[in-house]
Amino acid sequence: LAKTTQPISMDSYEGQEVNITCSHNNIATNDYITWYQQFPSQGPRFIIQGYKTKVTNEVASLFIPADRKSSTLSLPRVSLSDTAVYYCLVVVGNNAGNMLTFGGGTRLMVKP
Amino acid sequence: NAGVTQTPKFQVLKTGQSMTLQCAQDMNHNSMYWYRQDPGMGLRLIYYSASEGTTDKGEVPNGYNVSRLNKREFSLRLESAAPSQTSVYFCAGRRNTGELFFGEGSRLTVL
């Protein structure tokens, strides 16, 4: 399993773009990267996933460099409601039931 | 379409008591997972099930047992609860495209 490393916490202000980087140096060829968001007292919620280059959806963008040893979750123009914990996971890409482990996540605080 | 449903949502136990946390999904997921989350911490994997009839240990399986009764249901049992098992327990199902869908959690307090 590829181990992930993220900053423990980040602060931002409303309207700013926030970039959260995750390191996964031992990612394997078939692995892909997934990000989740968790609000207090709720289960994590899937945000985005990708294998390489850039993926964008209505919530966020995910940037993955060519060596795939890191990835960056980009949240455009954050609001107070984006205050949450964000987790990066590396998933073995065989669609089978795999051992999926979460790291400590990044606690994002958005201030007014 | 309820997604992933966990029962009970809250439970208080005394040390040594046993209980089962129930999880049911109606999203046709093959894989299901049980996590625990202690206050201010990340999620830790207890057990998972790749498919009906199979279960595997996760990071912190001691003190727990699981049953994958059928494709829909994946239960977590505490045979003899300890205060260290006070936590929020989350069940999740996994789509074939990889995303996990979580239940609302079960808050367990062991006195």
Side-chain angles (χ1 to χ4, degrees):
Chain A
L1 294 174
K3 180 178 169 58
T4 60
T5 304
Q6 304 174 233
I8 293 174
S9 64
M10 295 180 68
D11 288 344
S12 182
Y13 291 92
E14 283 190 292
Q16 289 187 334
E17 178 185 75
V18 170
N19 295 309
I20 305 174
T21 297
C22 178
S23 297
H24 28 78
N25 290 321
N26 59 338
I27 190 169
T29 302
N30 292 332
D31 293 348
Y32 55 97
I33 298 106
T34 308
W35 285 80
Y36 287 81
Q37 174 191 56
Q38 186 181 27
F39 297 115
S41 301
Q42 296 184 24
R45 180 176 72 100
F46 171 83
I47 303 175
I48 196 167
Q49 71 180 23
Y51 181 78
K52 61 180 179 180
T53 62
K54 177 183 175 182
V55 179
T56 297
N57 62 22
E58 64 277 6
V59 176
S61 294
L62 178 59
F63 298 92
I64 305 168
D67 66 7
R68 302 196 333 118
K69 293 184 183 299
S70 67
S71 59
T72 299
L73 175 72
S74 181
L75 303 172
R77 296 182 299 280
V78 293
S79 64
L80 297 177
S81 62
D82 292 315
T83 293
V85 179
Y86 292 84
Y87 296 95
C88 160
L89 273 75
V90 172
V91 181
V92 177
N94 61 5
N95 285 333
N98 303 117
M99 185 170 170
L100 298 178
T101 57
F102 286 74
T106 298
R107 193 172 299 273
L108 173 66
M109 174 67 73
V110 180
K111 301 175 182 178
Chain B
N1 186 351
V4 178
T5 303
Q6 294 182 229
T7 55
K9 289 186 169 47
F10 301 92
Q11 183 72 47
V12 179
L13 293 177
K14 294 181 180 177
T15 297
Q17 288 185 317
S18 62
M19 77 157 298
T20 299
L21 299 177
Q22 307 285 354
C23 176
Q25 53 98 0
D26 59 6
M27 305 175 79
N28 203 34
H29 298 303
N30 285 322
S31 305
M32 297 183 73
Y33 299 77
W34 273 107
Y35 294 89
R36 63 174 287 177
Q37 186 171 38
D38 299 336
M41 306 295 287
L43 289 91
R44 291 185 291 171
L45 179 64
I46 306 172
Y47 270 93
Y48 66 103
S49 170
S51 61
E52 181 180 349
T54 68
T55 61
D56 285 286
K57 294 179 180 180
E59 303 169 281
V60 289
N62 291 343
Y64 305 95
N65 286 302
V66 289
S67 295
R68 185 73 184 271
L69 305 171
N70 47 56
K71 190 170 187 178
R72 290 188 65 249
E73 298 171 291
F74 188 38
S75 61
L76 178 72
R77 183 162 179 83
L78 288 72
E79 291 293 350
S80 179
S84 61
Q85 294 178 304
T86 293
S87 191
V88 180
Y89 292 84
F90 289 102
C91 176
R94 184 183 176 196
R95 294 179 66 176
N96 287 337
T97 46
E99 305 97 284
L100 289 168
F101 286 86
F102 284 82
E104 294 182 352
S106 297
R107 295 181 178 277
L108 175 65
T109 301
V110 183
L111 303 175

mmCIF file of all heavy atoms in Angstrom, chain A residues 75-92:
data_model
loop_
_atom_site.group_PDB
_atom_site.id
_atom_site.type_symbol
_atom_site.label_atom_id
_atom_site.label_comp_id
_atom_site.label_asym_id
_atom_site.label_seq_id
_atom_site.Cartn_x
_atom_site.Cartn_y
_atom_site.Cartn_z
ATOM 1 N N LEU A 75 -9.099 23.663 -4.656
ATOM 2 C CA LEU A 75 -10.468 24.107 -4.395
ATOM 3 C C LEU A 75 -10.563 25.574 -4.788
ATOM 4 O O LEU A 75 -9.924 26.428 -4.169
ATOM 5 C CB LEU A 75 -10.806 23.942 -2.912
ATOM 6 C CG LEU A 75 -10.648 22.542 -2.334
ATOM 7 C CD1 LEU A 75 -10.835 22.563 -0.818
ATOM 8 C CD2 LEU A 75 -11.630 21.583 -2.966
ATOM 9 N N PRO A 76 -11.327 25.898 -5.812
ATOM 10 C CA PRO A 76 -11.389 27.286 -6.271
ATOM 11 C C PRO A 76 -12.313 28.123 -5.393
ATOM 12 O O PRO A 76 -13.388 27.654 -4.995
ATOM 13 C CB PRO A 76 -11.968 27.149 -7.682
ATOM 14 C CG PRO A 76 -12.797 25.912 -7.624
ATOM 15 C CD PRO A 76 -12.125 24.988 -6.657
ATOM 16 N N ARG A 77 -11.899 29.311 -5.055
ATOM 17 C CA ARG A 77 -12.755 30.276 -4.353
ATOM 18 C C ARG A 77 -13.498 29.629 -3.180
ATOM 19 O O ARG A 77 -14.730 29.479 -3.211
ATOM 20 C CB ARG A 77 -13.731 30.913 -5.330
ATOM 21 C CG ARG A 77 -13.049 31.742 -6.410
ATOM 22 C CD ARG A 77 -14.084 32.390 -7.340
ATOM 23 N NE ARG A 77 -14.890 31.405 -8.030
ATOM 24 C CZ ARG A 77 -14.519 30.733 -9.091
ATOM 25 N NH1 ARG A 77 -13.310 30.925 -9.603
ATOM 26 N NH2 ARG A 77 -15.325 29.860 -9.659
ATOM 27 N N VAL A 78 -12.773 29.261 -2.168
ATOM 28 C CA VAL A 78 -13.388 28.548 -1.047
ATOM 29 C C VAL A 78 -14.351 29.454 -0.281
ATOM 30 O O VAL A 78 -14.218 30.682 -0.259
ATOM 31 C CB VAL A 78 -12.327 27.980 -0.088
ATOM 32 C CG1 VAL A 78 -11.520 26.883 -0.783
ATOM 33 C CG2 VAL A 78 -11.422 29.069 0.470
ATOM 34 N N SER A 79 -15.303 28.810 0.364
ATOM 35 C CA SER A 79 -16.240 29.504 1.241
ATOM 36 C C SER A 79 -16.143 28.875 2.632
ATOM 37 O O SER A 79 -15.450 27.878 2.825
ATOM 38 C CB SER A 79 -17.661 29.386 0.709
ATOM 39 O OG SER A 79 -18.068 28.023 0.717
ATOM 40 N N LEU A 80 -16.843 29.480 3.578
ATOM 41 C CA LEU A 80 -16.794 28.969 4.952
ATOM 42 C C LEU A 80 -17.221 27.503 5.016
ATOM 43 O O LEU A 80 -16.719 26.729 5.844
ATOM 44 C CB LEU A 80 -17.686 29.814 5.859
ATOM 45 C CG LEU A 80 -17.293 31.281 6.029
ATOM 46 C CD1 LEU A 80 -18.323 32.006 6.890
ATOM 47 C CD2 LEU A 80 -15.905 31.416 6.626
ATOM 48 N N SER A 81 -18.114 27.117 4.136
ATOM 49 C CA SER A 81 -18.639 25.757 4.150
ATOM 50 C C SER A 81 -17.626 24.718 3.648
ATOM 51 O O SER A 81 -17.904 23.524 3.720
ATOM 52 C CB SER A 81 -19.913 25.669 3.301
ATOM 53 O OG SER A 81 -19.622 25.992 1.955
ATOM 54 N N ASP A 82 -16.496 25.175 3.152
ATOM 55 C CA ASP A 82 -15.439 24.243 2.744
ATOM 56 C C ASP A 82 -14.539 23.865 3.911
ATOM 57 O O ASP A 82 -13.617 23.054 3.743
ATOM 58 C CB ASP A 82 -14.598 24.862 1.622
ATOM 59 C CG ASP A 82 -15.382 25.000 0.327
ATOM 60 O OD1 ASP A 82 -16.078 24.035 -0.053
ATOM 61 O OD2 ASP A 82 -15.309 26.078 -0.300
ATOM 62 N N THR A 83 -14.768 24.460 5.064
ATOM 63 C CA THR A 83 -14.025 24.069 6.269
ATOM 64 C C THR A 83 -14.328 22.607 6.576
ATOM 65 O O THR A 83 -15.473 22.225 6.804
ATOM 66 C CB THR A 83 -14.424 24.950 7.465
ATOM 67 O OG1 THR A 83 -13.988 26.278 7.224
ATOM 68 C CG2 THR A 83 -13.801 24.427 8.753
ATOM 69 N N ALA A 84 -13.280 21.791 6.533
ATOM 70 C CA ALA A 84 -13.461 20.339 6.654
ATOM 71 C C ALA A 84 -12.083 19.692 6.723
ATOM 72 O O ALA A 84 -11.060 20.369 6.645
ATOM 73 C CB ALA A 84 -14.241 19.782 5.462
ATOM 74 N N VAL A 85 -12.082 18.372 6.865
ATOM 75 C CA VAL A 85 -10.840 17.610 6.765
ATOM 76 C C VAL A 85 -10.818 16.938 5.394
ATOM 77 O O VAL A 85 -11.824 16.362 4.970
ATOM 78 C CB VAL A 85 -10.734 16.551 7.877
ATOM 79 C CG1 VAL A 85 -9.432 15.754 7.731
ATOM 80 C CG2 VAL A 85 -10.792 17.214 9.249
ATOM 81 N N TYR A 86 -9.669 17.013 4.728
ATOM 82 C CA TYR A 86 -9.521 16.462 3.380
ATOM 83 C C TYR A 86 -8.497 15.336 3.419
ATOM 84 O O TYR A 86 -7.393 15.493 3.935
ATOM 85 C CB TYR A 86 -9.086 17.561 2.407
ATOM 86 C CG TYR A 86 -10.174 18.586 2.209
ATOM 87 C CD1 TYR A 86 -10.324 19.629 3.117
ATOM 88 C CD2 TYR A 86 -11.067 18.491 1.139
ATOM 89 C CE1 TYR A 86 -11.345 20.557 2.963
ATOM 90 C CE2 TYR A 86 -12.083 19.417 0.981
ATOM 91 C CZ TYR A 86 -12.216 20.440 1.894
ATOM 92 O OH TYR A 86 -13.234 21.353 1.741
ATOM 93 N N TYR A 87 -8.900 14.193 2.872
ATOM 94 C CA TYR A 87 -8.058 12.999 2.895
ATOM 95 C C TYR A 87 -7.654 12.610 1.478
ATOM 96 O O TYR A 87 -8.478 12.602 0.557
ATOM 97 C CB TYR A 87 -8.803 11.818 3.506
ATOM 98 C CG TYR A 87 -9.180 11.959 4.948
ATOM 99 C CD1 TYR A 87 -10.439 12.421 5.312
ATOM 100 C CD2 TYR A 87 -8.286 11.611 5.953
ATOM 101 C CE1 TYR A 87 -10.801 12.535 6.636
ATOM 102 C CE2 TYR A 87 -8.639 11.720 7.290
ATOM 103 C CZ TYR A 87 -9.897 12.185 7.627
ATOM 104 O OH TYR A 87 -10.247 12.294 8.949
ATOM 105 N N CYS A 88 -6.411 12.220 1.352
ATOM 106 C CA CYS A 88 -5.877 11.683 0.103
ATOM 107 C C CYS A 88 -5.693 10.180 0.279
ATOM 108 O O CYS A 88 -5.134 9.742 1.285
ATOM 109 C CB CYS A 88 -4.544 12.375 -0.182
ATOM 110 S SG CYS A 88 -3.445 11.534 -1.301
ATOM 111 N N LEU A 89 -6.158 9.394 -0.679
ATOM 112 C CA LEU A 89 -5.979 7.944 -0.654
ATOM 113 C C LEU A 89 -5.375 7.485 -1.969
ATOM 114 O O LEU A 89 -5.732 7.990 -3.037
ATOM 115 C CB LEU A 89 -7.318 7.224 -0.507
ATOM 116 C CG LEU A 89 -7.882 6.982 0.871
ATOM 117 C CD1 LEU A 89 -8.438 8.280 1.426
ATOM 118 C CD2 LEU A 89 -8.978 5.940 0.811
ATOM 119 N N VAL A 90 -4.493 6.516 -1.874
ATOM 120 C CA VAL A 90 -3.991 5.850 -3.068
ATOM 121 C C VAL A 90 -4.677 4.499 -3.139
ATOM 122 O O VAL A 90 -4.638 3.727 -2.175
ATOM 123 C CB VAL A 90 -2.466 5.687 -3.025
ATOM 124 C CG1 VAL A 90 -1.984 4.819 -4.178
ATOM 125 C CG2 VAL A 90 -1.799 7.057 -3.076
ATOM 126 N N VAL A 91 -5.289 4.205 -4.262
ATOM 127 C CA VAL A 91 -6.119 3.016 -4.415
ATOM 128 C C VAL A 91 -5.511 2.096 -5.465
ATOM 129 O O VAL A 91 -5.153 2.550 -6.563
ATOM 130 C CB VAL A 91 -7.540 3.411 -4.829
ATOM 131 C CG1 VAL A 91 -8.423 2.181 -4.963
ATOM 132 C CG2 VAL A 91 -8.133 4.393 -3.830
ATOM 133 N N VAL A 92 -5.413 0.824 -5.137
ATOM 134 C CA VAL A 92 -4.924 -0.153 -6.099
ATOM 135 C C VAL A 92 -5.946 -0.282 -7.217
ATOM 136 O O VAL A 92 -7.132 -0.465 -6.972
ATOM 137 C CB VAL A 92 -4.702 -1.519 -5.435
ATOM 138 C CG1 VAL A 92 -4.262 -2.556 -6.467
ATOM 139 C CG2 VAL A 92 -3.662 -1.398 -4.336
#
